[in-house]
Amino acid sequence: MEPGAVSFLIVCPLVFLASFVDAIAGGGGLISLPAYLLAGVPIHNAIATNKLSSASGTVISTARYCKNGYADIPAALLGSFMGANLALTASDRVLKLMLIVVLPVVAFYVLKNKSMEPKQKRQLAKGQKYAIVITASLVIGTYDGFYGPGTGTF
């Protein structure tokens, strides 16, 4: 069997599983990114391929969050642009270390109880809400542009 065929046999079932998991609960990138690396795809290419496959879900969820006032498009785009530029300048070694450190942390967060409803709802001033939305959009956009897996859950 050719090396390319082996890679294909590794990636296809795992990416299918990642898509299935992503559609149900989110966090499919936690499966697909290591699958690409296991198949021998260079880290920068693996992150880019993973990002391409998750882009449609990101667009749909961003539209939903914007409709409900929970996202700020300019801040998210700025963060995503900054994160992507950081990823391009980062060495393979740094990105692989990120994989070892960040992937288990994000996986734990994605798998733990997602009920984040506060016991008591606190009313915030409009300016406070907007500041939180801008900050969260910028931080999550930066993470998504730089690395990506688990972004939908955040």
Side-chain angles (χ1 to χ4, degrees):
M1 209 181 259
E2 292 180 36
V6 173
S7 298
F8 192 69
L9 290 174
I10 292 170
V11 170
C12 284
L14 289 174
V15 170
F16 176 80
L17 176 65
S19 299
F20 183 75
V21 167
D22 213 23
I24 294 173
L30 299 169
I31 299 168
S32 60
L33 185 59
Y36 295 133
L37 295 173
L38 184 64
V41 177
I43 187 89
H44 286 90
N45 295 9
I47 291 172
T49 303
N50 190 55
K51 182 52 52 201
L52 180 64
S53 65
S54 70
S56 60
T58 301
V59 168
I60 292 167
S61 61
T62 300
R64 195 177 93 221
Y65 281 119
C66 287
K67 179 182 171 192
N68 295 323
Y70 295 122
D72 183 69
I73 295 277
L77 287 174
L78 176 64
S80 191
F81 176 77
M82 291 185 325
N85 280 321
L86 282 172
L88 289 173
T89 59
S91 70
D92 287 0
R93 186 174 189 280
V94 167
L95 291 174
K96 287 178 183 176
L97 285 173
M98 288 278 301
L99 178 73
I100 292 169
V101 174
V102 173
L103 211 57
V105 172
V106 173
F108 173 77
Y109 177 77
V110 167
L111 295 174
K112 85 176 214 169
N113 185 2
K114 293 183 182 182
S115 175
M116 296 183 65
E117 288 293 319
K119 292 181 175 124
Q120 293 179 343
K121 296 210 178 198
R122 209 174 101 197
Q123 292 293 356
L124 297 173
K126 191 173 184 176
Q128 289 175 315
K129 284 183 186 178
Y130 197 61
I132 291 170
V133 166
I134 289 173
T135 304
S137 296
L138 183 67
V139 169
I140 293 170
T142 303
Y143 172 77
D144 192 30
F146 182 72
Y147 204 60
T151 301
T153 303
F154 296 139

